[in-house]
Amino acid sequence: MMDLDMDSMAATIGVSVPVLRFLLCFVVTIPVSFISRLVPTTGLRHAYAACSGAILSYLSFGFSSNLHFLVPMSIGYLSMAFFRAKCGIITFFLGFGYLIGCHVYYMSGDAWKGGGIDGTGALMVLTLKVISCAINYNDGLLKEDGLREPQKKNRLFKLPSLIEYFGYCLCCGNHFAGPVYEMKDYLEWTERKGIWSGPWPSPYLATLRALVQAAFCMALYLYMVPHHPLSRFTEPIYQEWGFWKRLSYQYRAGLTARWKYYFIWSISEASIIISGLGFSGWTDSSPPKPKWDRAKNVDILGVEFAKSAVEIPLVWNIQVSTWLRHYVYDRLVQKGKKPGFFQLLATQTVSAVWHGLYPGYLAFFVQSAMMIAGSRVIYKWQQALPPKMGIAKKIMGLMNFAYTILVLNYSCVGFMVLSMHETIASYGSVYYIGTVIPIVLILLSYVIKPAKPSRSKAQKAQ
């Protein structure tokens, strides 16, 4: 009877039974996270976090998922226990290696694209958590001089106990889809230290806001998705359309897909907020208001109306973007030197590999690196204009906005269709415009170099 009900429910909302089972367990993380506030002692909180996460994983993906999770967790903990001086690099490469192996074995991208589900998505989040934990424990050996602020804030001097480590890895509030957060924040939350040492602000209004946002996003996605199938990119009718109609379809298909991610992250945000872990301090306003930035993984308006491509990583999959910046991008920059296109491309490549070894992922993240580089060129030209050319500055700003919309939605087709054939077909259908424009801008930046604004005499004297 339960299976029959699941079948009818899944058919009603247009998803598969495995996806429905996942969604139900995902929504259950909200009451489960609320109960975590009531657990009386630190040790029990760790045990509750680990057990609730493992149980929900079992109900969502089956017993094998927890066995897969044990592999990177074991790699991380054993490297911290026995090879502390190298535990960060060991966990990074072995953890990513195992994740890539799972991506290849399960071909999870095809499953997700076809409406299926498996535990690989949760494994992706877990991999980032065990790597950051190991790197922060590694940083605990380093002298404070020369460390960046995030390193100083997050480094660990003491090896977490097994129950602390398991609780951090499997905490159900973020176990399925993020957001990624630091071991040090998790420990302070469970031990009621730091910003959690005093009275907590009420989470209910912020939780309700996240739930309303999730309901809106899901409703819009279910309405739009039947009208924008991914198969359209290889159908004859698509090729019969004119250039502008094909380009507009790419925008509408990308917009449709994003509402699914907005829904998922909104549910995850509600779960983290109601547990209290999402609390990140107070604003400077009078009276002060609570901030819930630790739970925030997307700024919907920030994505859809980004003024430049540089803003996208700051508002999309925010916590993973932060992870990539702290543990990849910043650490590739040599001391005393400025970051360049290499650091950007390397970071985007790591992000592509993290998602899976599909040509569409690689195409998207290489594209996004060029997209951001091209947007920086437009911004530099805009800033180089003198103040008296206010209208020209506004025109350049609008150009950057239009450029971002064009290249983002062009590029994200590869992320959605995954295969090389469909990616090339969709890009080629609009004459590779989203690839050509960033390359042209990057090349022009070597020719058109805006003059640096002259410094005043007072500045020179200083």
Side-chain angles (χ1 to χ4, degrees):
M1 180 63 68
M2 185 177 293
D3 288 339
L4 288 175
D5 289 340
M6 291 280 283
D7 287 336
S8 61
M9 288 173 61
T12 300
I13 62 174
V15 299
S16 63
V17 171
V19 170
L20 177 61
R21 187 182 298 114
F22 163 76
L23 290 175
L24 291 174
C25 289
F26 193 46
V27 172
V28 167
T29 63
I30 297 173
V32 170
S33 293
F34 170 75
I35 293 172
S36 68
R37 300 168 63 93
L38 310 177
V39 180
T41 65
T42 301
L44 286 176
R45 290 181 201 120
H46 292 307
Y48 178 80
C51 292
S52 60
I55 291 169
L56 287 175
S57 296
Y58 166 74
L59 294 175
S60 298
F61 313 119
F63 181 71
S64 62
S65 65
N66 286 324
L67 295 179
H68 281 300
F69 299 156
L70 278 174
V71 176
M73 289 165 63
S74 300
I75 290 171
Y77 200 81
L78 290 173
S79 67
M80 289 192 293
F82 297 105
F83 307 100
R84 183 176 184 181
K86 299 290 183 181
C87 64
I89 198 76
I90 291 171
T91 306
F92 188 98
F93 284 103
L94 292 184
F96 261 104
Y98 187 76
L99 175 63
I100 291 168
C102 289
H103 274 313
V104 172
Y105 182 79
Y106 287 104
M107 297 301 287
S108 51
D110 287 336
W112 301 339
K113 184 180 170 184
I117 195 77
D118 58 35
T120 315
L123 184 64
M124 291 165 62
V125 176
L126 178 65
T127 300
L128 299 187
K129 292 171 78 173
V130 299
I131 289 173
S132 64
C133 183
I135 291 177
N136 288 325
Y137 188 56
N138 199 159
D139 285 347
L141 293 174
L142 305 178
K143 294 181 179 180
E144 188 169 323
D145 295 343
L147 294 182
R148 296 180 176 86
E149 286 305 314
Q151 290 178 280
K152 295 177 184 177
K153 176 180 178 293
N154 297 320
R155 58 182 177 158
L156 301 170
F157 298 100
K158 178 185 174 184
L159 179 68
S161 67
L162 273 174
I163 191 62
E164 291 172 339
Y165 184 71
F166 273 64
Y168 167 68
C169 289
L170 298 176
C171 185
C172 77
N174 82 320
H175 177 44
F176 286 140
V180 178
Y181 52 78
E182 301 291 351
M183 167 64 92
K184 194 167 184 181
D185 292 332
Y186 169 79
L187 291 175
E188 289 186 350
W189 170 66
T190 52
E191 295 169 3
R192 305 303 190 249
K193 294 180 178 179
I195 60 174
W196 293 279
S197 60
W200 295 6
S202 171
Y204 303 117
L205 185 60
T207 302
L208 180 61
R209 181 199 58 78
L211 288 175
V212 171
Q213 179 175 287
F216 175 79
C217 294
M218 176 53 78
L220 202 54
Y221 174 72
L222 292 176
Y223 171 76
M224 294 178 68
V225 72
H227 304 290
H228 303 96
L230 297 180
S231 58
R232 184 66 45 82
F233 290 109
T234 53
E235 292 175 358
I237 189 174
Y238 177 79
Q239 300 302 325
E240 294 172 4
W241 291 343
F243 169 80
W244 292 108
K245 190 171 182 179
R246 291 197 292 261
L247 196 63
S248 69
Y249 187 82
Q250 290 188 357
Y251 169 77
R252 286 180 279 122
L255 177 63
T256 300
R258 287 196 290 277
W259 290 111
K260 174 177 64 176
Y261 293 99
Y262 295 155
F263 163 75
I264 290 290
W265 287 329
S266 297
I267 292 292
S268 187
E269 183 177 344
S271 178
I272 286 286
I273 288 174
I274 204 166
S275 72
L277 180 55
F279 177 56
S280 56
W282 300 88
T283 64
D284 295 329
S285 61
S286 182
K289 298 178 181 179
K291 296 188 294 185
W292 305 97
D293 296 345
R294 203 184 322 280
K296 195 173 185 64
N297 223 7
V298 69
D299 177 351
I300 297 175
L301 295 179
V303 174
E304 300 303 331
F305 298 99
K307 294 179 182 178
S308 78
V310 178
E311 295 179 1
I312 298 295
L314 304 177
V315 292
W316 171 268
N317 208 353
I318 296 170
Q319 304 305 331
V320 171
S321 296
T322 301
W323 189 97
L324 288 167
R325 185 170 69 251
H326 290 168
Y327 298 103
V328 181
Y329 186 83
D330 286 346
R331 292 172 188 260
L332 289 175
V333 180
Q334 295 181 5
K335 193 173 182 179
K337 293 188 176 181
K338 292 183 177 181
F341 184 69
F342 166 74
Q343 285 79 14
L344 179 61
L345 183 60
T347 303
Q348 295 299 86
T349 302
V350 170
S351 185
V353 170
W354 178 67
H355 282 86
L357 297 184
Y358 282 89
Y361 286 146
L362 186 60
F364 169 76
F365 285 105
V366 171
Q367 275 285 143
S368 63
M370 293 192 298
M371 174 181 71
I372 293 171
S375 188
R376 284 174 175 169
V377 173
I378 299 175
Y379 179 76
K380 286 180 181 178
W381 291 343
Q382 180 187 13
Q383 294 303 108
L385 293 173
K388 62 182 179 180
M389 298 182 66
I391 296 177
K393 276 180 172 285
K394 290 181 180 179
I395 291 173
M396 292 291 286
L398 287 173
M399 282 178 55
N400 211 345
F401 172 69
Y403 163 87
T404 300
I405 292 177
L406 168 67
V407 183
L408 173 64
N409 290 285
Y410 163 91
S411 303
C412 75
V413 175
F415 191 96
M416 297 185 295
V417 300
L418 300 180
S419 74
M420 179 61 76
H421 168 69
E422 291 174 287
T423 301
I424 295 298
S426 62
Y427 288 178
S429 70
V430 290
Y431 310 111
Y432 300 97
I433 186 172
T435 303
V436 172
I437 291 178
I439 291 175
V440 169
L441 286 171
I442 293 169
L443 293 176
L444 282 176
S445 69
Y446 292 99
V447 179
I448 306 173
K449 295 184 178 181
K452 295 180 180 179
S454 59
R455 297 191 302 167
S456 66
K457 292 181 179 179
Q459 288 176 313
K460 290 178 181 178
Q462 290 175 357

